[in-house]
């Protein structure tokens, strides 16, 4: 995905053709789809790894450490690429806002929730981002056209969340239900971030990620030191490894794979990993954590997968030829 950079992290295209058009003109091989599968695996591992780490690492310290590890990894890649980080206040204000709504707030909520909710439930509920993004776009911002297919996808996805949260609520309105609702609120924040992120298109995507992660890690460092007092913690080796792997694999490497896939497969195909990672994430939760898949989660999984698929599948592929 060749590109040149000028200034401090702003992107100047080496060719005038958009990434999606570039990808559309090239032949796709099994290696391209292997990269897409690898991306889905990286991002699917987020919540099972977090579940492993949260046993002995409090949420604030965990998120701060994960963010700083990912930022350090990305800054190293940027240094190798010779890309400079912007120093102007406008850029860092954008990075800070994006980080707050795309990571700091939602992940604080989700990591708290994961203390009471199985990772498999979290995977499915957190995958409803495209559905809430569609609802916000249709009802508030209206910057993209709404289609019947996307509306059907939103309805299916919402039905899936009702199947998970609503049926769990029949057993009693306990802390688990509150945590599941909190995950949905965090997912709405993710959806807002996908819309706000359109303002960052002038910057190199890896610069945005590195700057945002650095801000997120540093802003949570003082609360971590005051509240959690990390030097008094006794994290297990498993928790430490999970935190490092999540920082490098889920955050940093996953982001790099995302942009590689954008260049090779285009936007629409790359977005397809959104519903590919749902069964992978649930499968990892079963294998790594020994979680079970109750009937209401299985039903919700199928409905959410169908909904997210409808939100991302290209409309022209459904036309009869």
């Amino acid at each position: 995905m060749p590109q040149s950079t000028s200034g401090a992290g702003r992107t100047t295209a080496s060719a005038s053709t958009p990434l999606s058009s570039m990808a559309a003109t090239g032949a796709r091989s099994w290696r391209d789809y292997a990269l897409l599968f690898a991306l889905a695996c990286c991002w699917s591992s987020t919540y099972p790894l977090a579940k492993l780490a949260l046993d002995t690492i409090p949420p604030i310290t965990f998120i701060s450490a994960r963010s700083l590890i990912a930022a350090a990894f990305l800054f190293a890649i940027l240094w190798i690429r010779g890309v400079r980080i912007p120093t102007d206040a406008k850029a860092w204000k954008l990075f800070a806002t994006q980080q707050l709504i795309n990571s700091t707030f939602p992940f604080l909520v989700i990591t708290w929730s994961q203390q009471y909710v199985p990772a498999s439930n979290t995977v499915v509920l957190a995958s409803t981002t495209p559905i809430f993004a569609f609802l916000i776009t249709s009802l508030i911002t209206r910057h993209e056209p709404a289609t019947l297919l996307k509306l059907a996808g939103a309805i299916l996805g919402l039905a899936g969340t009702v199947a998970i949260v609503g049926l769990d609520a029949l057993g009693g309105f306990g802390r688990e239900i509150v945590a599941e609702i909190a995950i949905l609120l965090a997912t709405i924040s993710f959806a807002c971030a996908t819309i706000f992120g359109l303002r960052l298109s002038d910057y190199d995507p890896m610069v945005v990620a590195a700057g945002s992660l650095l801000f997120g890690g540093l802003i949570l460092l003082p609360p971590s030191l005051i509240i959690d007092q990390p030097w008094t913690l006794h994290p297990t080796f498993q928790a430490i490894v999970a935190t490092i792997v999540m920082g490098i694999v889920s955050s940093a490497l996953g982001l790099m794979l995302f942009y590689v896939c954008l260049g090779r497969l285009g936007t629409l195909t790359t977005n397809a990993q959104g519903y590919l990672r749902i069964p992978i994430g649930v499968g990892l939760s079963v294998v790594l954590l020994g979680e079970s898949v109750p009937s209401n989660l299985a039903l919700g999984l199928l409905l959410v997968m169908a909904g997210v698929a409808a939100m991302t599948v290209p409309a022209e592929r459904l036309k009869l030829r």
Side-chain angles (χ1 to χ4, degrees), residues 22 29 32 138 144 168-169 176 189 191 208 213 222 227 230 237 260 269 274 277 294 305:
M22 292 169 61
S29 69
D32 298 323
S138 301
E144 290 182 6
D168 280 346
E176 180 178 341
S189 184
V208 176
L213 286 165
I227 299 173
F237 177 75
V260 170
T269 304
R277 73 174 187 253
M305 280 184 61

Side-chain angles (χ1 to χ4, degrees), residues 147-218:
T147 65
L148 289 177
L149 182 62
K150 290 183 178 181
L151 177 60
I155 294 173
L156 285 171
L158 290 175
T161 61
V162 170
I164 297 171
V165 180
L167 293 180
D168 280 346
L170 293 178
F173 199 86
R175 184 170 291 181
E176 180 178 341
I177 306 304
V178 174
E180 289 182 334
I181 294 173
I183 293 171
L184 292 177
L185 293 176
T187 304
I188 294 174
S189 184
F190 284 140
C192 293
T194 64
I195 297 171
F196 180 84
L198 296 174
R199 303 184 184 185
L200 298 166
S201 58
D202 287 341
Y203 296 93
D204 183 304
M206 195 173 291
V207 169
V208 176
S212 299
L213 286 165
L214 178 63
F215 173 83
L218 291 178

Side-chain angles (χ1 to χ4, degrees), residues 8-9 32 57 87-88 91 108 123 129 146 168 189 205 215 220 230 254 260 278:
D32 298 323
I57 302 177
T87 56
D88 58 290
L108 275 175
V123 169
T129 299
D168 280 346
S189 184
F215 173 83
L220 288 177
V260 170
I278 298 175

Side-chain angles (χ1 to χ4, degrees), residues 34-301:
L35 288 173
L36 189 69
F37 181 77
L39 170 62
C41 289
C42 285
W43 281 355
S44 297
S45 65
T46 297
Y47 303 113
L49 287 173
K51 194 75 171 179
L52 290 172
L54 289 169
D55 283 341
T56 52
I57 302 177
I60 296 176
T61 298
F62 168 68
I63 297 174
S64 179
R66 181 212 67 147
S67 299
L68 292 175
I69 291 170
F73 186 85
L74 288 175
F75 272 107
I77 300 298
L78 289 171
W79 181 78
I80 294 172
R81 291 177 55 197
V83 178
R84 292 188 294 126
I85 300 296
T87 56
D88 58 290
K90 176 185 176 182
W92 281 94
K93 183 179 179 180
L94 290 172
F95 297 167
T97 303
Q98 179 71 358
Q99 176 67 13
L100 286 173
I101 62 176
N102 192 48
S103 184
T104 304
F105 167 73
F107 272 110
L108 275 175
V109 172
I110 288 176
T111 49
W112 171 82
S113 301
Q114 282 199 270
Q115 298 176 95
Y116 313 104
V117 176
S120 51
N121 289 47
T122 307
V123 169
V124 180
L125 293 174
S127 297
T128 56
T129 299
I131 297 161
F132 288 111
F134 166 77
L135 294 174
I136 293 171
T137 299
S138 301
L139 301 176
I140 302 175
T141 63
R142 300 185 179 180
H143 63 278
E144 290 182 6
T147 65
L148 289 177
L149 182 62
K150 290 183 178 181
L151 177 60
I155 294 173
L156 285 171
L158 290 175
T161 61
V162 170
I164 297 171
V165 180
L167 293 180
D168 280 346
L170 293 178
F173 199 86
R175 184 170 291 181
E176 180 178 341
I177 306 304
V178 174
E180 289 182 334
I181 294 173
I183 293 171
L184 292 177
L185 293 176
T187 304
I188 294 174
S189 184
F190 284 140
C192 293
T194 64
I195 297 171
F196 180 84
L198 296 174
R199 303 184 184 185
L200 298 166
S201 58
D202 287 341
Y203 296 93
D204 183 304
M206 195 173 291
V207 169
V208 176
S212 299
L213 286 165
L214 178 63
F215 173 83
L218 291 178
I219 200 173
L220 288 177
L221 189 57
S224 168
L225 296 175
I226 296 171
I227 299 173
D228 295 338
Q229 299 180 346
W231 59 89
T232 66
L233 301 176
H234 301 284
T236 63
F237 177 75
Q238 176 180 264
I240 295 173
V241 171
T243 304
I244 295 173
V245 171
M246 184 173 172
I248 295 177
V249 176
S250 301
S251 300
L253 183 58
L255 190 69
M256 287 193 294
L257 280 172
F258 175 70
Y259 293 115
V260 170
C261 288
L262 277 181
R264 298 172 72 106
L265 296 171
T267 304
L268 293 174
T269 304
T270 301
N271 282 339
Q273 57 77 31
Y275 54 92
L276 179 62
R277 73 174 187 253
I278 298 175
I280 296 175
V282 173
L284 288 173
S285 300
V286 172
V287 173
L288 296 178
L289 304 172
E291 294 183 355
S292 59
V293 182
S295 57
N296 67 312
L297 177 60
L299 175 61
L301 184 151

